[in-house]
Amino acid sequence: MSVFCEVPQAAPVAVFKLSQDFNNDQFPNKVNLGVGAYRTDEGQPWVLPVVKKVEKIIVQDGSLNHEYLPILGLPDFRSSASKIALGEDSPAIQENRVGAVQCLGGTGALKMGAEFLSRFYNGNKNTKTPIYVSAPTWENHNAVFANAGFEDVRPYKYWDAENRGLDFAGFLEDLESCPEHSVFVLHACAHNPTGTDPTQEQWMQIFKQSHCFRRKLFVFFDSAYQGFASGCLDKDAWAVRYFVSVGFEMFCAQSFSKNFGLYNERVGNLTIVARDADNLKRVLSQMEKIVRTTWSNPPSQGARIVSITLNSPELFTEWKDNVKTMAGRVLMMRAQLKAKLQGLGTPGTWEHITEQIGMFSFTGLNSKQVEYMVKERHVYLMASGRINMCGLTSSNINYVAESIHEAVTRVQ
Amino acid sequence: PLISWWGGVQMGPPDPILGVTEAFKRDTNPKKMNLGVGAYRDDHGKPFVLSCVRKAEELITAKHMDKEYLPIGGLGDFSKCCAQLALGADSEVLKSSRNITVQTISGTGSLRIGANFLARFHGGPRDVYLPKPSWGNHTPIFRDAGMQLKAYRYYDPSTCGFDFKGALDDISKIPEQSVIMLHACAHNPTGVDPKPEQWKEISDLVKKRNLLVFFDMAYQGFASGDIDRDAWAVRYFIEQGHNILLSQSFAKNMGLYGERVGGFTVVCNDTEEAKRVESQLKILIRPIYSNPPMNGARIAATILNTPDLRSLWLEEVHFMANRIIKMREQLVAGLKKEGSSHNWQHVIDQIGMFCFTGLKPEQVERLTKEFSVYMTKDGRISMAGVTSANVGYLAHGIHAVTK
């Protein structure tokens, strides 16, 4: 008699199932616009040249070993990663009130932040605190906060499907009417999955009209695409830095999966901005306890690569170049896709393709049209209509544009 | 607002094990010894990167692989050879594919996934029975996952050995379907392992009580120097019909500490059940870290799957284990030479990285204050921190505080 005979089969994670189905498809012109990883114009994964260089440095450095990192991670990585998010000359950093926890990817950073909040925010172990995530949002956000114990994970209005843009009025409404002490998970840039970001003026209004301070709201940024969105690190960090500048204590979960192409090395950083050094110290000491029972200490390889790169002027410059290359190709694909759809006379407006930013685009295709794309055209995208722009190449963009055109004209 | 959200957050207590290293670093005594954290050191007291690891890294670099996300359950090649290493290549479990093995964030990550899995799916009592004592981190891991902790007698301070009778007595009273944690080999922190005949009796009793067995195997190969010998208990229990949970770490036996290489295995009734369990493990893993890190798992898989690297590894693991054994012998010889009248046989009988010296907290404190020998309060020393150069000094210090 097995203890596990009652264990039900869980549904597969959608984005991975999509890739699996794609892999099993024999159609020669199949296109994978699913999972979020960068691809070259040849449709291949791209190990950044600067990463290859640094890996060689590491392998040849006989003084390096595989000893445990400290619980909170590699110190040089943590500090340089936080500088990337907040800016080299961030007043908060100069005031010694910024700390960080090296984590396993952006997911790990969100997890650590969520676990901390569930223990120490808004009282002790107050799992009833509402956690607001955008509608829609990265599907794992819900699970991360729910698994940290939060009972009330709710959506804030974000995507306006009808107008294919930001539902700014709705967003403000939810901000103004949410319970005090609510936690808001904000996408720093390149919103996943819509690719639609507030403008700088809108960010300022979000801060002003929500009366975040008076109403004691907590801001938790998810920054998975810094540099990858516009090609410029500082521009993509504007929202995060703005909120720091107006005086927030906050968390920022950073991922180096995309902007360093280090997906499988799990390089992430939870940047913590506190009121002062003393509060920061106590927060970090409690973070250690949470880390210790989850993974004890983080993996060293990826953090080493990032740290060496960020701390060397030449390598840092080379990295910024590599990032521009990736962002540039995405921008080009956006422009070309829009042009082709407009050229085909595909019904509807396609401005959002170039107005949106980052890896993803919310095409606006409905689930029936998506099904058509997958089944009839072997173009794989998420049921939400989300496509990964990196999946587009000069060889497949015509086929994809035609497929979208067919889906829109044949399926309602 | 000028008030911090975190005004009420207390300073967390320093981690007892890692705290020892912090104190050691601050000490300026040239003769200081760090016998705290359990990482292997060579006979010069230096960290040791295995040759098979360096060779594997060269092979990997030459392949120019991409950095795409691993599946949630990790590198397939790794999970396979990880399970094979523990269960044996000819294991019936592997042949019938009735295990699910996922790559985890070393031993800690494996235990945590296991604990989360139990908390969500185990229909039996919430209690996990740990040996007394056990690795300090076991308790908070299970607790944070939502389980409760109880203990069974294990270490006998009067003999510095195994309290076999006490263990059987306590185990016989554990409520059915409870979870019992067993250290596969090189018990941490005591270094005291049951003998094969004793394991057999434990297995029978555990079966009779219908307990769910969770093995923690962090030192395979590192204990006796022989990977099959160290996995004997795990394999015996499986042969006896226990469908076990198993955590493995490659931190020590491959020296891959900071790369975080581990595995979690659930032995199921059949492939179908294994598939259901696998699907749920993925659901547990995804909201923690999405998918595991590649580097260490790739190194481990390369070593295990490349015949001459595997042989080299077995030699190096044997070498590390042997150095530890030699240090144990030299420490006892040193204590005899100092004129100690105590029985130190347990130092040789115990196995693996750690030795429960039997020192009392006051003696430990003196050893630290007067001799700058750093160890945990329970009298545990990491033999890896002992070298031929300092074993005499250690014997001298221990004798001084115990005579």
Side-chain angles (χ1 to χ4, degrees):
Chain A
M1 180 64 182
S2 165
V3 276
F4 303 126
C5 51
E6 302 294 319
V7 174
Q9 176 77 30
V13 178
V15 68
F16 298 129
K17 170 99 182 21
L18 190 75
S19 279
Q20 215 178 312
D21 290 344
F22 169 82
N23 288 334
N24 294 335
D25 190 332
Q26 303 297 318
F27 189 74
N29 290 340
K30 63 182 181 178
V31 181
N32 188 359
L33 301 181
V35 88
Y38 179 77
R39 292 285 177 269
T40 63
D41 198 50
E42 288 76 40
Q44 293 304 311
W46 192 51
V47 178
L48 275 57
V50 74
V51 167
K52 284 193 188 149
K53 206 179 264 188
V54 174
E55 281 185 316
K56 234 190 240 156
I57 293 174
I58 291 172
V59 158
Q60 287 168 358
D61 186 346
S63 75
L64 289 176
N65 54 42
H66 293 288
E67 292 298 294
Y68 289 123
L69 285 181
I71 299 175
L72 296 181
L74 188 64
D76 282 347
F77 166 77
R78 294 158 59 205
S79 55
S80 55
S82 292
K83 280 205 185 100
I84 288 293
L86 303 188
E88 180 76 45
D89 41 9
S90 162
I93 293 179
Q94 283 160 10
E95 290 158 19
N96 293 319
R97 55 191 188 87
V98 174
V101 182
Q102 178 193 336
C103 297
L104 272 83
T107 305
L110 288 163
K111 167 69 171 178
M112 284 301 125
E115 288 288 343
F116 183 87
L117 292 174
S118 80
R119 284 165 174 69
F120 298 108
Y121 176 68
N122 193 18
N124 275 334
K125 298 203 171 74
N126 186 353
T127 55
K128 295 210 186 314
T129 302
I131 308 291
Y132 279 84
V133 298
S134 64
T137 193
W138 180 48
E139 112 284 338
N140 207 14
H141 276 152
N142 281 280
V144 169
F145 284 91
N147 275 27
F150 287 106
E151 301 164 29
D152 185 358
V153 182
R154 351 167 153 177
Y156 58 87
K157 295 194 209 48
Y158 196 83
W159 171 248
D160 178 350
E162 205 181 309
N163 297 308
R164 292 183 186 173
L166 178 65
D167 178 3
F168 190 48
F171 189 176
L172 288 179
E173 217 177 86
D174 284 341
L175 273 167
E176 285 164 2
S177 63
C178 69
E180 283 196 354
H181 294 288
S182 293
V183 174
F184 269 77
V185 179
L186 304 172
H187 297 228
C189 68
H191 182 271
N192 178 358
T194 69
T196 301
D197 292 341
T199 62
Q200 291 182 2
E201 296 69 43
Q202 286 174 326
W203 277 122
M204 292 195 279
Q205 255 192 291
I206 284 166
F207 164 63
K208 245 181 56 196
Q209 274 188 242
S210 62
H211 302 288
C212 309
F213 284 143
R214 178 167 58 74
R215 304 188 51 255
K216 304 184 183 60
L217 305 182
F218 186 82
V219 166
F220 197 153
F221 270 106
D222 183 352
S223 178
Y225 300 98
Q226 189 181 0
F228 203 99
S230 68
C232 171
L233 292 170
D234 295 319
K235 185 145 175 239
D236 290 349
W238 189 89
V240 174
R241 296 175 190 183
Y242 173 69
F243 274 76
V244 173
S245 75
V246 296
F248 268 96
E249 278 185 311
M250 51 193 251
F251 288 166
C252 179
Q254 301 170 259
S255 167
F256 292 89
S257 291
K258 283 81 170 173
N259 60 16
F260 259 89
L262 285 173
Y263 308 94
N264 69 19
E265 295 298 0
R266 315 312 294 126
V267 200
N269 195 46
L270 177 69
T271 286
I272 298 159
V273 182
R275 182 66 50 225
D276 52 48
D278 184 69
N279 276 294
L280 177 67
K281 198 170 74 163
R282 283 179 282 105
V283 168
L284 289 176
S285 75
Q286 295 295 348
M287 285 287 185
E288 281 195 354
K289 287 179 68 181
I290 300 172
V291 169
R292 187 80 169 124
T293 61
T294 314
W295 54 62
S296 265
N297 41 76
S300 86
Q301 180 73 355
R304 271 181 179 162
I305 294 171
V306 173
S307 180
I308 290 171
T309 304
L310 297 183
N311 287 309
S312 147
E314 305 86 55
L315 294 173
F316 182 50
T317 302
E318 188 175 346
W319 173 57
K320 284 192 285 189
D321 249 359
N322 290 171
V323 168
K324 271 212 181 71
T325 298
M326 292 190 287
R329 196 181 93 69
V330 169
L331 288 167
M332 196 164 64
M333 290 298 102
R334 285 185 178 279
Q336 286 185 17
L337 181 60
K338 181 178 90 173
K340 289 192 192 292
L341 290 171
Q342 287 173 339
L344 288 169
T346 308
T349 160
W350 300 103
E351 290 306 316
H352 57 286
I353 302 274
T354 48
E355 278 164 5
Q356 289 165 6
I357 195 169
M359 197 179 283
F360 301 114
S361 175
F362 240 33
T363 54
L365 293 174
N366 64 39
S367 52
K368 284 213 216 56
Q369 291 164 335
V370 169
E371 203 180 328
Y372 178 87
M373 294 278 284
V374 177
K375 289 220 162 79
E376 303 302 322
R377 303 288 298 186
H378 306 269
V379 175
Y380 288 75
L381 65 157
M382 300 296 287
S384 59
R386 183 191 91 167
I387 61 174
N388 176 3
M389 299 304 302
C390 301
L392 291 175
T393 68
S394 29
S395 3
N396 68 26
I397 194 160
N398 284 329
Y399 181 70
V400 171
E402 283 156 19
S403 304
I404 293 176
H405 181 84
E406 279 205 20
V408 169
T409 51
R410 290 189 189 188
V411 182
Q412 254 69 62
Chain B
L2 296 170
I3 310 169
S4 170
W5 289 124
W6 316 127
V9 174
Q10 302 296 318
M11 189 69 191
D15 182 287
I17 298 169
L18 298 166
V20 166
T21 303
E22 308 285 301
F24 166 82
K25 283 195 195 135
R26 291 192 291 265
D27 192 326
T28 51
N29 182 348
K31 288 209 159 121
K32 64 182 180 176
M33 289 178 69
N34 186 1
L35 302 182
V37 86
Y40 179 81
R41 292 286 175 265
D42 65 16
D43 201 47
H44 301 285
K46 295 274 177 283
F48 175 54
V49 177
L50 279 65
S51 304
C52 62
V53 168
R54 288 213 195 276
K55 289 195 157 80
E57 286 177 313
E58 282 164 27
L59 283 178
I60 291 165
T61 306
K63 286 204 177 122
H64 301 296
M65 292 186 269
D66 65 42
K67 303 216 164 284
E68 294 300 288
Y69 286 121
L70 284 178
I72 301 175
L75 183 65
D77 281 350
F78 169 76
S79 309
K80 229 182 265 155
C81 57
C82 172
Q84 236 175 43
L85 181 66
L87 307 188
D90 51 354
S91 161
E92 166 273 320
V93 166
L94 295 177
K95 291 204 174 96
S96 18
S97 299
R98 63 185 183 91
N99 65 302
I100 170 60
T101 300
V102 292
Q103 178 192 339
T104 57
I105 315 300
S106 204
T108 300
S110 176
L111 289 161
R112 184 52 185 268
I113 295 300
N116 284 350
F117 181 74
L118 288 169
R120 194 172 273 186
F121 293 106
H122 183 49
R126 295 279 84 177
D127 299 312
V128 176
Y129 285 75
L130 300 178
K132 202 185 324 188
S134 192
W135 182 43
N137 208 15
H138 276 148
T139 295
I141 288 172
F142 280 102
R143 196 167 278 152
D144 277 8
M147 302 298 283
Q148 281 158 254
L149 282 311
K150 289 212 159 67
Y152 57 92
R153 272 171 288 169
Y154 189 84
Y155 178 70
D156 184 349
S158 66
T159 61
C160 293
F162 184 35
D163 182 359
F164 185 41
K165 199 169 158 299
L168 289 181
D169 203 19
D170 284 352
I171 293 173
S172 68
K173 301 193 177 83
I174 297 179
E176 292 205 24
Q177 299 208 0
S178 303
V179 179
I180 182 167
M181 166 130 290
L182 302 169
H183 294 221
C185 63
H187 179 271
N188 179 357
T190 68
V192 170
D193 287 348
K195 304 210 184 342
E197 318 83 67
Q198 294 171 322
W199 273 125
K200 287 181 179 170
E201 280 201 55
I202 294 170
S203 166
D204 286 343
L205 179 57
V206 163
K207 213 191 287 187
K208 216 164 88 188
R209 297 301 306 150
N210 191 19
L211 306 179
L212 176 53
V213 172
F214 196 152
F215 266 110
D216 184 354
M217 184 155 69
Y219 299 98
Q220 187 184 5
F222 205 94
S224 69
D226 180 329
I227 49 158
D228 294 311
R229 191 153 151 212
D230 289 349
W232 185 85
V234 168
R235 297 175 190 182
Y236 178 76
F237 269 65
I238 290 175
E239 274 164 39
Q240 291 297 301
H242 298 273
N243 279 355
I244 66 169
L245 273 61
L246 169 67
S247 283
Q248 289 169 262
S249 167
F250 289 83
K252 284 82 170 173
N253 61 11
M254 281 194 182
L256 290 173
Y257 309 91
E259 303 296 339
R260 320 308 294 128
V261 193
F264 176 65
T265 293
V266 181
V267 176
C268 303
N269 266 355
D270 50 49
T271 310
E272 189 269 335
E273 184 174 277
K275 285 261 163 294
R276 280 185 283 114
V277 170
E278 178 185 18
S279 71
Q280 295 296 346
L281 289 176
K282 288 181 185 172
I283 300 285
L284 282 168
I285 290 170
R286 174 110 167 114
I288 305 176
Y289 53 84
S290 275
N291 39 71
M294 163 68 98
N295 197 48
R298 178 73 77 189
I299 293 171
T302 301
I303 290 170
L304 293 173
N305 290 327
T306 310
D308 39 274
L309 289 188
R310 192 189 177 103
S311 315
L312 178 55
W313 173 58
L314 292 175
E315 271 174 39
E316 295 190 282
V317 143
H318 187 82
F319 178 80
M320 290 192 286
N322 249 35
R323 193 183 91 66
I324 303 287
I325 291 168
K326 223 168 48 171
M327 289 300 103
R328 290 179 178 278
E329 289 163 1
Q330 286 190 17
L331 178 57
V332 172
L335 285 161
K336 282 205 175 91
K337 214 168 109 186
E338 288 281 331
S340 176
S341 54
H342 295 288
N343 179 357
W344 295 103
Q345 184 57 32
H346 56 280
V347 171
I348 293 177
D349 289 343
Q350 290 167 8
I351 193 170
M353 197 175 292
F354 300 112
C355 169
F356 240 36
T357 54
L359 292 179
K360 301 188 183 33
E362 322 81 69
Q363 296 168 325
V364 171
E365 201 178 331
R366 277 189 63 198
L367 199 50
T368 302
K369 284 213 162 81
E370 296 172 31
F371 294 92
S372 295
V373 174
Y374 289 81
M375 50 199 284
T376 45
K377 273 207 282 282
D378 52 10
R380 182 193 87 162
I381 60 175
S382 167
M383 293 307 300
V386 182
T387 69
S388 27
N390 65 27
V391 64
Y393 178 73
L394 178 61
H396 178 72
I398 292 178
H399 176 59
V401 305
T402 56
K403 62 182 171 193

